[in-house]
mmCIF file with all atom_site columns, all heavy atoms in Angstrom:
data_model
loop_
_atom_site.group_PDB
_atom_site.id
_atom_site.type_symbol
_atom_site.label_atom_id
_atom_site.label_alt_id
_atom_site.label_comp_id
_atom_site.label_asym_id
_atom_site.label_entity_id
_atom_site.label_seq_id
_atom_site.pdbx_PDB_ins_code
_atom_site.Cartn_x
_atom_site.Cartn_y
_atom_site.Cartn_z
_atom_site.occupancy
_atom_site.B_iso_or_equiv
_atom_site.pdbx_formal_charge
_atom_site.auth_seq_id
_atom_site.auth_comp_id
_atom_site.auth_asym_id
_atom_site.auth_atom_id
_atom_site.pdbx_PDB_model_num
ATOM 1  N N   . PRO A 1 383 ? -0.647 -39.780 5.194  1.00 0.00 ? 405 PRO A N   1
ATOM 2  C CA  . PRO A 1 383 ? -1.094 -40.894 4.394  1.00 0.00 ? 405 PRO A CA  1
ATOM 3  C C   . PRO A 1 383 ? -1.752 -40.424 3.120  1.00 0.00 ? 405 PRO A C   1
ATOM 4  O O   . PRO A 1 383 ? -1.755 -41.153 2.109  1.00 0.00 ? 405 PRO A O   1
ATOM 5  C CB  . PRO A 1 383 ? -2.094 -41.620 5.269  1.00 0.00 ? 405 PRO A CB  1
ATOM 6  C CG  . PRO A 1 383 ? -2.538 -40.615 6.284  1.00 0.00 ? 405 PRO A CG  1
ATOM 7  C CD  . PRO A 1 383 ? -1.405 -39.720 6.462  1.00 0.00 ? 405 PRO A CD  1
ATOM 8  N N   . ASP A 1 384 ? -2.298 -39.201 3.058  1.00 0.00 ? 406 ASP A N   1
ATOM 9  C CA  . ASP A 1 384 ? -2.926 -38.709 1.821  1.00 0.00 ? 406 ASP A CA  1
ATOM 10 C C   . ASP A 1 384 ? -1.967 -37.956 0.893  1.00 0.00 ? 406 ASP A C   1
ATOM 11 O O   . ASP A 1 384 ? -2.180 -37.867 -0.293 1.00 0.00 ? 406 ASP A O   1
ATOM 12 C CB  . ASP A 1 384 ? -4.053 -37.749 2.260  1.00 0.00 ? 406 ASP A CB  1
ATOM 13 C CG  . ASP A 1 384 ? -5.124 -38.390 3.036  1.00 0.00 ? 406 ASP A CG  1
ATOM 14 O OD1 . ASP A 1 384 ? -5.425 -39.584 2.828  1.00 0.00 ? 406 ASP A OD1 1
ATOM 15 O OD2 . ASP A 1 384 ? -5.675 -37.762 3.913  1.00 0.00 ? 406 ASP A OD2 1
ATOM 16 N N   . HIS A 1 385 ? -0.832 -37.543 1.415  1.00 0.00 ? 407 HIS A N   1
ATOM 17 C CA  . HIS A 1 385 ? 0.098  -36.838 0.610  1.00 0.00 ? 407 HIS A CA  1
ATOM 18 C C   . HIS A 1 385 ? 1.550  -37.354 0.895  1.00 0.00 ? 407 HIS A C   1
ATOM 19 O O   . HIS A 1 385 ? 2.296  -36.656 1.553  1.00 0.00 ? 407 HIS A O   1
ATOM 20 C CB  . HIS A 1 385 ? 0.058  -35.331 0.833  1.00 0.00 ? 407 HIS A CB  1
ATOM 21 C CG  . HIS A 1 385 ? -1.261 -34.718 0.597  1.00 0.00 ? 407 HIS A CG  1
ATOM 22 N ND1 . HIS A 1 385 ? -2.236 -34.655 1.582  1.00 0.00 ? 407 HIS A ND1 1
ATOM 23 C CD2 . HIS A 1 385 ? -1.788 -34.208 -0.482 1.00 0.00 ? 407 HIS A CD2 1
ATOM 24 C CE1 . HIS A 1 385 ? -3.308 -34.082 1.092  1.00 0.00 ? 407 HIS A CE1 1
ATOM 25 N NE2 . HIS A 1 385 ? -3.145 -33.798 -0.229 1.00 0.00 ? 407 HIS A NE2 1
ATOM 26 N N   . PRO A 1 386 ? 1.895  -38.608 0.474  1.00 0.00 ? 408 PRO A N   1
ATOM 27 C CA  . PRO A 1 386 ? 3.219  -39.110 0.699  1.00 0.00 ? 408 PRO A CA  1
ATOM 28 C C   . PRO A 1 386 ? 4.287  -38.267 -0.029 1.00 0.00 ? 408 PRO A C   1
ATOM 29 O O   . PRO A 1 386 ? 3.980  -37.557 -0.974 1.00 0.00 ? 408 PRO A O   1
ATOM 30 C CB  . PRO A 1 386 ? 3.097  -40.556 0.202  1.00 0.00 ? 408 PRO A CB  1
ATOM 31 C CG  . PRO A 1 386 ? 2.074  -40.468 -0.862 1.00 0.00 ? 408 PRO A CG  1
ATOM 32 C CD  . PRO A 1 386 ? 1.054  -39.490 -0.387 1.00 0.00 ? 408 PRO A CD  1
ATOM 33 N N   . ASP A 1 387 ? 5.522  -38.445 0.464  1.00 0.00 ? 409 ASP A N   1
ATOM 34 C CA  . ASP A 1 387 ? 6.616  -37.717 -0.203 1.00 0.00 ? 409 ASP A CA  1
ATOM 35 C C   . ASP A 1 387 ? 6.746  -38.093 -1.636 1.00 0.00 ? 409 ASP A C   1
ATOM 36 O O   . ASP A 1 387 ? 6.554  -39.270 -2.027 1.00 0.00 ? 409 ASP A O   1
ATOM 37 C CB  . ASP A 1 387 ? 7.949  -38.027 0.523  1.00 0.00 ? 409 ASP A CB  1
ATOM 38 C CG  . ASP A 1 387 ? 7.932  -37.423 1.934  1.00 0.00 ? 409 ASP A CG  1
ATOM 39 O OD1 . ASP A 1 387 ? 7.010  -36.671 2.243  1.00 0.00 ? 409 ASP A OD1 1
ATOM 40 O OD2 . ASP A 1 387 ? 8.842  -37.795 2.694  1.00 0.00 ? 409 ASP A OD2 1
ATOM 41 N N   . ASP A 1 388 ? 7.093  -37.157 -2.485 1.00 0.00 ? 410 ASP A N   1
ATOM 42 C CA  . ASP A 1 388 ? 7.261  -37.446 -3.968 1.00 0.00 ? 410 ASP A CA  1
ATOM 43 C C   . ASP A 1 388 ? 8.664  -38.048 -4.081 1.00 0.00 ? 410 ASP A C   1
ATOM 44 O O   . ASP A 1 388 ? 9.721  -37.361 -3.754 1.00 0.00 ? 410 ASP A O   1
ATOM 45 C CB  . ASP A 1 388 ? 7.164  -36.132 -4.697 1.00 0.00 ? 410 ASP A CB  1
ATOM 46 C CG  . ASP A 1 388 ? 7.193  -36.324 -6.217 1.00 0.00 ? 410 ASP A CG  1
ATOM 47 O OD1 . ASP A 1 388 ? 7.608  -37.459 -6.640 1.00 0.00 ? 410 ASP A OD1 1
ATOM 48 O OD2 . ASP A 1 388 ? 6.883  -35.460 -6.948 1.00 0.00 ? 410 ASP A OD2 1
ATOM 49 N N   . PRO A 1 389 ? 8.744  -39.252 -4.615 1.00 0.00 ? 411 PRO A N   1
ATOM 50 C CA  . PRO A 1 389 ? 10.102 -39.845 -4.785 1.00 0.00 ? 411 PRO A CA  1
ATOM 51 C C   . PRO A 1 389 ? 11.055 -38.989 -5.623 1.00 0.00 ? 411 PRO A C   1
ATOM 52 O O   . PRO A 1 389 ? 12.255 -39.014 -5.450 1.00 0.00 ? 411 PRO A O   1
ATOM 53 C CB  . PRO A 1 389 ? 9.815  -41.152 -5.461 1.00 0.00 ? 411 PRO A CB  1
ATOM 54 C CG  . PRO A 1 389 ? 8.379  -41.509 -5.123 1.00 0.00 ? 411 PRO A CG  1
ATOM 55 C CD  . PRO A 1 389 ? 7.720  -40.161 -5.029 1.00 0.00 ? 411 PRO A CD  1
ATOM 56 N N   . GLY A 1 390 ? 10.474 -38.200 -6.546 1.00 0.00 ? 412 GLY A N   1
ATOM 57 C CA  . GLY A 1 390 ? 11.296 -37.361 -7.377 1.00 0.00 ? 412 GLY A CA  1
ATOM 58 C C   . GLY A 1 390 ? 11.741 -36.132 -6.660 1.00 0.00 ? 412 GLY A C   1
ATOM 59 O O   . GLY A 1 390 ? 12.657 -35.444 -7.204 1.00 0.00 ? 412 GLY A O   1
#
Side-chain angles (χ1 to χ4, degrees):
D406 298 326
H407 302 88
D409 293 348
D410 186 348

